[in-house]
Amino acid sequence: MLAYLVIRDGTKWSDVFRLVPGRRVTVGRATTNQIVIRDELASRQHAEIFLADGRWHIRDLDSRNGVQVNGESIRGDHPLTVGDQIRIAGTQLAFVTDLANAYRRGDGGEEGAETVAPGTMPAGALSPADVAPIEETGDLHEPTVITHRRQNTRLLEAPQLDSSNEGKLGNAAAKLCKLAFDLARQPDPKGVAQIAVNGLIDGTQADAGAVLTLARDESGEPKLHVLASRSDRLPVYRSVSRYLADTVIREGEAVLARDIAGDSKLGIRDSQGEMVSTSVICAPIRSGKRILGLIHLYSTEANRSLDPVDLEFTLAVAENMAVALTSQQRQQVLADDLSKSRNELDELRQRLAVESEIVGSSTAMLDVHGQIVRAAPSNATVLVRGESGVGKELVARAVHFSSPRRRGPFVCLNCAALTESLLESELFGHEKGAFTGATERKIGKFEAAHKGTLMLDEIGEMSMAIQSKFLRVLEGHPFERVGGSKPIKVDVRVIAATNRNLETAVREGNFRKDLYFRLHVLEIQVPPLRKRPDDLIELAEHFLKKFNAETGRRLSGFSPDALRKMRDYHWPGNVRELKNVVERAVVLARGERIEADDLALTSLANTSESFEMAMPRASFVPISLTEMERRHIAATLEATGWNKSQAAGILEIERSTLDRKIRKYDIRRPSRGGQ
């Protein structure tokens, strides 16, 4: 079986690779592949092509960015059909069996045009979601007698003019030149369509017309939607007849039809109710052999009948529209790829700045490792809980890199660091012009994490409005970018992290109950540093080694007094605080090892220890949790001199929550004279 892969480099087909039965062909970035793709978006071993059961197949080798055939991502082994377009990273490969037809001229496409089945619509070209459906304004009763057909226009070549049409063709060529520049300057498909309609009405005998986009429903039936229209004589544009639309879509030719028989059933009435003859042009908007849409023009006056020169002009405008729309599509693909690459680069930079392994061999940490091993193989949502600074992000990374999604991206977002509007934009992305400052389309974190893992830190700080939209995405529903209307569906595993008591937030109405149950599928509890003292010295030695290497110091270790001071300290900031203390000590230590005086420890109490410090153990008596909370809040307020902001910070609650609890427990400030 003779078969070939024709490789496209930029705008031209650059190379041909022959496929030999019995020999597998690998494609990828590594030089050991038979077909080498020099693109950073390609994996080292990206895909392979092989012959099985008499047909050539392509298989994605778990590549990072996947393989597309005719614009659709493939899974597993995919059989190839003659004319299939394979996209790997930024490279296109055409599967053909006859090289004589792989490069063709004179059939409406330029040299090297794609051999895609006619009537198909490229992804992102003219989406029906961007346009309005055809309004039912009554049939035009267009004529069914086609008098002229054209596949290619002479206006885009060097035409041989006859004396009768030379002047009109010359004027049409001049108008086409200006119109081509106007089309190229339009920023979106709707602008291209409206400029084209206006130019066609002004440059032909037509008095009404429209540009229609073509899509196919689930059954494969073509559906037409109006992208732009204009009617100078009738009150509204009249829709194209199904006969003409089907003819043009099926045969890929522009047609001119006239009411030459004078049949009154084919005409329409003017404003006085008199019958008038009609003529109509319907032309395909083609990209290669792909039909993106149709141009529909008609005239309602007998003395302004459309003629073959109008057909030439319409077909030339259709070709220019296809070029403009294809360019916009490619620009959008490049913009999306650039946005995704920026997100991936940011994540790589963040990943390099974060520790890649969890340090600690205590019983508590071994239990955490066991929970990670059990949670990793699943796609279920994970809730990582623990105090600030215990290393929840490291646990989330360990779950991701131990899971089947490890080759996909790991994207992290702190929900507490952004306002509600910015958080929505970061999560779901936004379209150009969605709000002030949105100068370009931005891919959200959900899209950036496709086929990978999205970690949302401080999930308890998410507003109720965002919680509702976030819940729908978690349940598998598609979402839309801010300011957009196109539904987007992604495959993402979510890992949420919080240091707040979500159960309390649910009871107080600050967190959705249904979202809580959706997040609380698998839970990993990370213990604070004071609960695993056996890991303290191991972590300190790890950070000492790290900062010795970064600063060029050669500190030998910690003095006995320094070790004793660290063991006696309660570490309210957990591992994050220990890391910062050791870093400061490495920079400022004057001897060959770190002394006790080099350790800058604070007097802040941990939330769970503040009550313990305020109430001596000898005075403890069994009490209810409500009473314990009341005493704990009262003791904290007393210790801070009733500085509510400081007390709320120590208690790790909002100031408004503290005020509510003071009223609830009727806690009163002592008088200045004392009690």
Side-chain angles (χ1 to χ4, degrees), residues 622-644:
I623 57 176
S624 67
L625 289 175
T626 300
E627 178 62 20
M628 178 178 288
E629 184 180 42
R630 189 192 70 79
R631 294 186 184 183
H632 177 53
I633 293 174
T636 304
L637 288 168
E638 185 68 23
T640 59
W642 272 77
N643 186 324
K644 292 184 180 180

Side-chain angles (χ1 to χ4, degrees), residues 417-552:
L418 301 169
T419 63
E420 179 179 322
S421 58
L422 288 178
L423 178 58
E424 183 178 11
S425 173
E426 285 292 323
L427 280 174
F428 307 112
H430 63 251
E431 296 288 350
K432 180 179 178 180
F435 50 83
T436 303
T439 57
E440 61 182 14
R441 174 189 287 181
K442 178 178 180 179
I443 301 298
K445 299 298 185 184
F446 265 107
E447 286 183 81
H450 183 55
K451 299 294 184 181
T453 303
L454 173 62
M455 180 199 173
L456 297 177
D457 201 4
E458 306 294 351
I459 190 70
E461 306 299 329
M462 185 180 289
S463 69
M464 297 293 285
I466 303 298
Q467 288 178 32
S468 178
K469 190 171 182 179
F470 175 54
L471 177 60
R472 284 187 53 81
V473 180
L474 277 183
E475 292 176 341
H477 296 284
F479 62 91
E480 299 171 354
R481 299 190 189 101
V482 177
S485 59
K486 179 181 178 182
I488 301 169
K489 191 174 180 63
V490 293
D491 176 16
V492 173
R493 183 185 191 178
V494 173
I495 299 179
T498 184
N499 60 4
R500 293 186 60 184
N501 189 322
L502 293 184
E503 291 81 3
T504 301
V506 170
R507 287 195 297 270
E508 294 177 350
N510 296 324
F511 200 82
R512 291 178 63 102
K513 183 185 294 185
D514 46 4
L515 178 57
Y516 168 77
F517 289 123
R518 187 66 182 82
L519 292 173
H520 199 259
V521 179
L522 297 175
E523 180 177 313
I524 298 178
Q525 185 76 39
V526 186
L529 185 56
R530 65 183 177 279
K531 298 293 185 181
R532 46 188 179 110
D534 295 342
D535 294 332
L536 177 62
I537 304 305
E538 185 178 352
L539 283 164
E541 295 288 352
H542 170 77
F543 291 135
L544 175 60
K545 181 179 178 180
K546 168 184 169 63
F547 294 121
N548 266 341
E550 289 184 3
T551 60

Side-chain angles (χ1 to χ4, degrees), residues 345-367:
L345 181 59
D346 291 341
E347 295 303 324
L348 286 173
R349 287 172 176 168
Q350 294 175 13
R351 189 180 303 174
L352 290 174
V354 180
E355 306 294 10
S356 59
E357 59 182 14
I358 300 174
V359 178
S361 56
S362 64
T363 302
M365 287 309 298
L366 291 178
D367 181 59

Side-chain angles (χ1 to χ4, degrees), residues 155-196:
L155 288 175
L156 297 181
E157 303 171 357
Q160 299 295 324
L161 303 176
D162 55 48
S163 58
S164 61
N165 285 330
E166 182 174 358
K168 190 170 182 180
L169 277 173
N171 291 333
K175 292 179 180 179
L176 179 63
C177 181
K178 180 181 183 302
L179 187 60
F181 284 105
D182 292 339
L183 292 174
R185 287 195 291 263
Q186 298 307 305
D188 53 53
K190 287 186 177 180
V192 170
Q194 194 61 61
I195 289 294

Side-chain angles (χ1 to χ4, degrees), residues 226-512:
V226 174
L227 190 62
S229 66
R230 173 176 161 183
S231 178
D232 288 352
R233 302 186 184 280
L234 296 176
V236 293
Y237 160 74
R238 301 293 182 87
S239 59
V240 64
S241 70
R242 177 54 60 184
Y243 168 78
L244 282 179
D246 288 344
T247 300
V248 173
I249 294 171
R250 181 178 64 253
E251 301 182 10
E253 292 183 325
V255 300
L256 166 62
R258 295 174 178 172
D259 184 16
I260 58 175
D263 189 340
S264 60
K265 293 185 296 183
L266 300 179
I268 60 174
R269 297 181 184 275
D270 61 14
S271 58
Q272 285 75 35
E274 298 294 332
M275 296 295 298
V276 294
S277 299
T278 62
S279 55
V280 61
I281 288 176
C282 191
I285 303 171
R286 299 169 301 190
S287 176
K289 283 193 174 180
R290 299 175 298 188
I291 297 181
L292 311 182
L294 301 177
I295 291 177
H296 176 227
L297 302 173
Y298 59 85
S299 175
T300 59
E301 292 191 357
N303 60 351
R304 288 175 55 89
S305 181
L306 296 169
D307 58 29
V309 176
D310 293 330
L311 178 63
E312 294 279 358
F313 184 71
T314 303
L315 191 53
V317 172
E319 297 290 343
N320 278 276
M321 280 192 66
V323 172
L325 293 171
T326 303
S327 297
Q328 289 180 0
Q329 175 196 355
R330 290 172 179 169
Q331 290 174 3
Q332 190 58 61
V333 170
L334 290 174
D336 289 347
D337 290 345
L338 179 60
S339 179
K340 186 175 182 180
S341 298
R342 286 174 177 170
N343 285 334
E344 291 176 350
L345 181 59
D346 291 341
E347 295 303 324
L348 286 173
R349 287 172 176 168
Q350 294 175 13
R351 189 180 303 174
L352 290 174
V354 180
E355 306 294 10
S356 59
E357 59 182 14
I358 300 174
V359 178
S361 56
S362 64
T363 302
M365 287 309 298
L366 291 178
D367 181 59
V368 171
H369 281 290
Q371 295 179 63
I372 292 173
V373 170
R374 291 190 294 273
S378 169
N379 279 325
T381 306
V382 179
L383 180 61
V384 183
R385 309 182 81 157
E387 296 177 5
S388 178
V390 296
K392 296 187 289 295
E393 184 175 341
L394 289 182
V395 172
R397 289 182 182 274
V399 171
H400 169 73
F401 288 109
S402 301
S403 72
R405 296 174 176 266
R406 58 185 173 275
R407 294 186 178 181
F410 178 84
V411 180
C412 185
L413 178 65
N414 190 323
C415 299
L418 301 169
T419 63
E420 179 179 322
S421 58
L422 288 178
L423 178 58
E424 183 178 11
S425 173
E426 285 292 323
L427 280 174
F428 307 112
H430 63 251
E431 296 288 350
K432 180 179 178 180
F435 50 83
T436 303
T439 57
E440 61 182 14
R441 174 189 287 181
K442 178 178 180 179
I443 301 298
K445 299 298 185 184
F446 265 107
E447 286 183 81
H450 183 55
K451 299 294 184 181
T453 303
L454 173 62
M455 180 199 173
L456 297 177
D457 201 4
E458 306 294 351
I459 190 70
E461 306 299 329
M462 185 180 289
S463 69
M464 297 293 285
I466 303 298
Q467 288 178 32
S468 178
K469 190 171 182 179
F470 175 54
L471 177 60
R472 284 187 53 81
V473 180
L474 277 183
E475 292 176 341
H477 296 284
F479 62 91
E480 299 171 354
R481 299 190 189 101
V482 177
S485 59
K486 179 181 178 182
I488 301 169
K489 191 174 180 63
V490 293
D491 176 16
V492 173
R493 183 185 191 178
V494 173
I495 299 179
T498 184
N499 60 4
R500 293 186 60 184
N501 189 322
L502 293 184
E503 291 81 3
T504 301
V506 170
R507 287 195 297 270
E508 294 177 350
N510 296 324
F511 200 82
R512 291 178 63 102

Side-chain angles (χ1 to χ4, degrees), residues 22-320:
R23 182 182 302 172
R24 290 177 178 264
V25 178
T26 59
V27 185
R29 196 175 74 249
T31 56
T32 55
N33 295 288
Q34 287 88 346
I35 299 178
V36 179
I37 296 179
R38 304 187 183 280
D39 192 324
E40 290 299 323
L41 295 179
S43 300
R44 292 183 61 82
Q45 299 288 335
H46 201 107
E48 64 178 358
I49 301 171
F50 57 93
L51 185 67
D53 299 328
R55 292 191 65 180
W56 287 98
H57 294 70
I58 185 168
R59 175 184 297 159
D60 182 13
L61 299 177
D62 294 328
S63 62
R64 180 171 185 177
N65 292 305
V67 175
Q68 291 186 337
V69 177
N70 296 332
E72 299 291 335
S73 298
I74 65 169
R75 295 179 180 271
D77 298 347
H78 183 84
L80 293 174
T81 304
V82 174
D84 279 351
Q85 300 291 304
I86 304 168
R87 181 183 175 92
I88 296 178
T91 300
Q92 289 185 342
L93 303 93
F95 176 76
V96 299
T97 56
D98 184 3
L99 285 180
N101 293 326
Y103 302 88
R104 64 187 189 280
R105 291 181 183 269
D107 61 350
E110 59 186 4
E111 182 176 4
E114 294 89 343
T115 53
V116 180
T120 58
M121 182 175 179
L126 295 178
S127 172
D130 297 331
V131 296
I134 293 180
E135 296 182 5
E136 296 296 333
T137 56
D139 292 334
L140 184 63
H141 296 298
E142 291 170 342
T144 58
V145 180
I146 297 173
T147 60
H148 293 78
R149 293 176 180 267
R150 291 293 297 174
Q151 190 174 60
N152 301 307
T153 175
R154 291 177 294 166
L155 288 175
L156 297 181
E157 303 171 357
Q160 299 295 324
L161 303 176
D162 55 48
S163 58
S164 61
N165 285 330
E166 182 174 358
K168 190 170 182 180
L169 277 173
N171 291 333
K175 292 179 180 179
L176 179 63
C177 181
K178 180 181 183 302
L179 187 60
F181 284 105
D182 292 339
L183 292 174
R185 287 195 291 263
Q186 298 307 305
D188 53 53
K190 287 186 177 180
V192 170
Q194 194 61 61
I195 289 294
V197 169
N198 292 339
L200 286 164
I201 299 298
D202 295 337
T204 67
Q205 300 293 323
D207 51 47
V211 171
L212 304 102
T213 179
L214 172 66
R216 295 185 182 273
D217 57 21
E218 297 179 355
S219 63
E221 289 296 319
K223 298 294 183 182
L224 294 170
H225 299 263
V226 174
L227 190 62
S229 66
R230 173 176 161 183
S231 178
D232 288 352
R233 302 186 184 280
L234 296 176
V236 293
Y237 160 74
R238 301 293 182 87
S239 59
V240 64
S241 70
R242 177 54 60 184
Y243 168 78
L244 282 179
D246 288 344
T247 300
V248 173
I249 294 171
R250 181 178 64 253
E251 301 182 10
E253 292 183 325
V255 300
L256 166 62
R258 295 174 178 172
D259 184 16
I260 58 175
D263 189 340
S264 60
K265 293 185 296 183
L266 300 179
I268 60 174
R269 297 181 184 275
D270 61 14
S271 58
Q272 285 75 35
E274 298 294 332
M275 296 295 298
V276 294
S277 299
T278 62
S279 55
V280 61
I281 288 176
C282 191
I285 303 171
R286 299 169 301 190
S287 176
K289 283 193 174 180
R290 299 175 298 188
I291 297 181
L292 311 182
L294 301 177
I295 291 177
H296 176 227
L297 302 173
Y298 59 85
S299 175
T300 59
E301 292 191 357
N303 60 351
R304 288 175 55 89
S305 181
L306 296 169
D307 58 29
V309 176
D310 293 330
L311 178 63
E312 294 279 358
F313 184 71
T314 303
L315 191 53
V317 172
E319 297 290 343
N320 278 276

